[in-house]
C-alpha cells in the first residue's frame, strides 16, 4: 500500500495499490502468476476414455479389425488431450501436449508389434525347448519325426558369426578412425561413398560375390565362406556407428592431449577410443545382431548339415537362421518341424539378447570413470 499522501492531522493515509492486469474492474482475480495445470493423472484418464470410446464406436460400427480400433483410440487420445489442455492450460501448452501425445502414440505403435512378436515366439517356442533340444543334432531325424535338436546349428552360428566379427570389427573400427581423425580429400570421400553403397547391399549380393570366388577356386561349401559374406555385411554397419560415436567426442579432449605433447595416435588410443567405447561396443553388437539372422548367404555358401561340424574350414555347416528356414520349409505349417522352427527362433532371440547384455556390461566396465561414480 502507498504512504506518500498525508491526512489533515499529519498522519499518512493509505492509498489502494493500482489494479494489476490480473484483476478485472470489480477487483476479481482473473488469473495468477502460476498458470492452471492439469493433474498428472489426466493423460491416463484421457487415454482410458479414448480406448473406451474407440471400443464403443468399433462395436457400433461393426469394425472387425483391432488395428482400426487402435487408430481410432490414438486419434481420440491426441485430439482429446489437446481440447482438454487448451481449455484449462491454454493453447500454447496444449500444443506441447499434442507433441507429447504423438510421441507416446509412435512409441506404442513400435512397441506393440515387437511385444507381440516376442510373445508369439515364446509361446510357440517353449513347446520343445529343453536341454535335449539344445544338446542334440538332427542326425537320423526325419522332417516329420519327433525329437532332434539344434546343437549343430548353434555351433555353426557361433563359429560363423564369431569369425565374421573378428574380420569385420577391426576393419570397420580402423576405417571409422581414418574417416574421423585423418580423412581429408578425395580418398576420404571415396571411402565414405563406398561405405554408403555397402550399407544398402542385399545379403544375397554379398553371398553371390563370395560364391563367384568359390567357383573360380573350385571350392566346396564350407562355413568360413559364409563368414566372409557376413563380414561384408557387417563392415559398413560398424563403420557408420563407430564414426558417429567418434564424432561425439569433444574436440577439447583431443586438443588438451595434443597440447601436452602426446602424439596423435596415442591421443586416439588413450583418449578418443576409451571415451566412446560404450557407443562403439553397442554399434558392433547391432552389426552382430544384423548378421546373426541372415539366411541367404549361409544357404548359398554353406548349404547346411545335419551333423555337428566344428571345423568351419572344411565341409558344410548349419546355422540357426538356416535351420529355422529348413525346418519351416519342410513342416507345411504344422508338426514337429514347425515346433522346432519356433524353438530355434526363440533360441536365436535369446542368443542376440545375451550378446547385447554382455556387450553393455563390458562397455560399462571399460567406460572412463568420472568423479560422480
Amino acid at each position: 500500500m502507498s504512504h506518500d499522501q498525508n491526512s489533515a492531522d499529519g498522519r499518512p493515509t493509505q492509498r489502494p495499490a493500482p489494479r494489476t492486469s490480473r484483476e478485472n474492474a470489480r477487483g476479481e482475480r482473473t488469473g495468477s502468476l502460476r498458470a492452471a495445470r492439469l493433474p498428472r493423472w489426466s493423460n491416463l484418464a484421457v487415454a482410458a476414455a479414448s480406448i473406451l470410446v474407440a471400443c464403443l464406436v468399433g462395436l457400433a460400427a461393426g469394425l472387425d479389425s483391432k488395428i482400426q480400433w487402435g487408430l481410432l483410440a490414438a486419434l481420440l487420445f491426441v485430439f482429446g488431450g489437446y481440447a482438454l489442455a487448451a481449455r484449462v492450460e491454454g493453447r500454447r501448452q496444449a500444443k506441447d501436449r499434442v507433441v507429447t501425445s504423438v510421441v507416446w502414440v509412435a512409441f506404442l505403435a513400435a512397441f506393440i508389434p515387437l511385444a507381440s512378436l516376442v510373445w508369439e515366439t515364446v509361446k510357440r517356442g517353449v513347446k520343445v525347448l529343453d536341454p535335449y533340444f539344445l544338446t542334440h543334432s538332427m542326425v537320423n531325424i526325419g522332417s516329420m519325426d519327433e525329437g532332434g535338436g539344434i546343437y549343430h546349428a548353434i555351433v555353426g552360428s557361433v563359429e560363423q558369426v564369431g569369425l565374421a566379427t573378428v574380420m569385420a570389427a577391426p576393419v570397420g573400427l580402423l576405417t571409422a578412425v581414418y574417416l574421423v581423425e585423418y580423412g581429408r580429400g578425395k580418398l576420404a570421400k571415396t571411402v565414405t561413398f563406398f561405405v554408403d553403397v555397402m550399407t544398402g547391399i542385399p545379403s544375397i549380393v554379398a553371398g553371390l560375390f563370395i560364391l563367384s570366388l568359390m567357383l573360380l577356386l573350385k571350392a566346396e561349401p564350407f562355413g568360413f565362406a559364409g563368414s566372409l559374406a557376413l563380414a561384408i555385411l557387417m563392415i559398413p554397419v560398424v563403420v557408420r556407428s563407430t564414426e558417429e560415436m567418434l564424432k561425439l567426442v569433444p574436440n577439447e579432449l583431443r586438443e588438451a592431449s595434443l597440447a601436452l605433447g602426446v602424439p596423435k595416435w596415442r591421443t586416439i588410443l588413450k583418449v578418443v577410443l576409451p571415451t566412446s567405447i560404450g557407443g562403439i561396443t553397442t554399434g558392433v553388437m547391432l552389426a552382430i545382431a544384423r548378421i546373426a539372422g541372415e539366411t541367404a548367404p549361409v544357404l548359398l555358401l554353406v548349404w547346411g548339415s545335419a551333423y555337428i561340424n566344428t571345423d568351419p574350414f572344411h565341409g558344410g555347416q548349419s546355422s540357426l537362421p538356416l535351420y529355422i528356414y529348413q525346418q519351416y520349409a519342410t513342416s507345411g505349417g504344422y508338426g514337429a518341424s514347425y515346433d522346432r522352427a519356433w524353438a530355434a527362433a526363440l533360441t536365436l532371440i535369446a542368443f542376440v539378447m545375451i550378446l547385447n547384455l554382455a556387450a553393455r556390461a563390458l562397455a560399462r566396465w571399460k567406460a572412463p570413470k568420472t568423479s560422480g561414480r
Side-chain angles (χ1 to χ4, degrees):
M1 306 298 288
S2 177
H3 299 278
D4 57 350
Q5 190 175 15
N6 297 331
S7 60
D9 56 0
R11 291 181 299 175
T13 60
Q14 294 181 346
R15 184 175 61 181
R19 297 189 184 95
T20 65
S21 59
R22 296 292 179 178
E23 296 182 3
N24 58 19
R26 297 180 181 180
E28 299 173 345
R29 297 285 290 180
T30 59
S32 62
L33 295 178
R34 185 176 181 180
R37 301 281 294 180
L38 289 171
R40 293 183 177 181
W41 49 264
S42 60
N43 286 333
L44 295 177
V46 173
S50 301
I51 295 174
L52 179 60
V53 173
C55 293
L56 295 177
V57 173
L59 291 174
L63 300 178
D64 297 330
S65 176
K66 299 300 187 294
I67 298 178
Q68 295 175 330
W69 293 24
L71 293 176
L72 181 58
L75 292 175
L76 291 174
F77 174 68
V78 173
F79 289 106
Y82 174 80
L84 181 61
R87 182 177 180 84
V88 177
E89 300 177 337
R91 292 188 176 182
R92 182 176 181 180
Q93 188 66 22
K95 293 179 181 178
D96 179 76
R97 286 186 176 271
V98 166
V99 175
T100 305
S101 300
V102 171
V103 171
W104 274 104
V105 170
F107 165 73
L108 291 176
F111 175 76
I112 290 176
L114 177 61
S116 176
L117 172 64
V118 173
W119 169 250
E120 189 71 15
T121 306
V122 172
K123 183 177 69 174
R124 295 179 180 271
V126 295
K127 292 181 179 179
V128 296
L129 186 61
D130 53 23
Y132 177 87
F133 182 74
L134 296 174
T135 56
H136 286 74
S137 65
M138 290 296 294
V139 177
N140 299 326
I141 302 295
S143 60
M144 303 306 294
D145 296 339
E146 299 289 339
I150 59 170
Y151 181 74
H152 61 300
I154 294 176
V155 171
S157 286
V158 171
E159 291 184 348
Q160 294 164 25
V161 173
L163 289 172
T165 303
V166 169
M167 292 183 290
V171 174
L173 176 60
L174 294 176
T175 302
V177 170
Y178 166 75
L179 292 176
V180 175
E181 303 294 338
Y182 298 97
R184 299 293 185 274
K186 294 184 179 180
L187 179 59
K189 293 180 180 179
T190 303
V191 173
T192 301
F193 172 76
F194 279 106
V195 169
D196 292 338
V197 172
M198 290 178 63
T199 303
I201 288 180
S203 60
I204 190 68
V205 176
L208 288 173
F209 172 71
I210 301 299
L211 180 61
S212 64
L213 297 179
M214 291 175 59
L215 294 176
L216 291 176
L217 299 174
K218 297 181 180 181
E220 296 293 330
F222 60 108
F224 185 69
S227 298
L228 292 174
L230 296 179
I232 294 175
L233 299 174
M234 185 176 179
I235 286 175
V237 180
V238 176
V239 172
R240 273 286 164 255
S241 59
T242 304
E243 187 179 0
E244 294 303 321
M245 291 301 104
L246 294 178
K247 289 179 180 179
L248 293 178
V249 178
N251 285 328
E252 289 78 3
L253 294 178
R254 298 180 176 90
E255 294 170 356
S257 178
L258 295 173
L260 294 174
V262 180
K264 189 169 184 176
W265 68 269
R266 195 170 183 83
T267 298
I268 296 172
L269 190 62
K270 295 295 185 179
V271 176
V272 178
L273 291 180
T275 303
S276 57
I277 188 63
I280 293 174
T281 305
T282 302
V284 173
M285 287 301 105
L286 289 176
I288 292 176
R290 193 242 166 149
I291 66 172
E294 292 292 346
T295 305
V298 181
L299 182 62
L300 281 175
L301 306 173
V302 185
W303 283 19
S305 173
Y307 293 87
I308 301 172
N309 181 11
T310 59
D311 186 1
F313 299 97
H314 296 89
Q317 270 189 327
S318 185
S319 69
L320 285 173
L322 181 59
Y323 179 90
I324 295 169
Y325 168 76
Q326 291 174 337
Q327 292 297 313
Y328 182 80
T330 58
S331 67
Y334 64 92
S337 296
Y338 187 70
D339 294 336
R340 286 194 293 264
W342 279 106
L346 180 58
T347 305
L348 181 60
I349 293 176
F351 173 70
V352 174
M353 184 184 68
I354 291 172
L355 283 178
N356 277 274
L357 292 177
R360 288 182 178 274
L362 179 63
R364 190 176 183 86
W365 176 49
K366 290 294 185 180
K369 302 296 186 294
T370 61
S371 58
R373 303 177 78 177

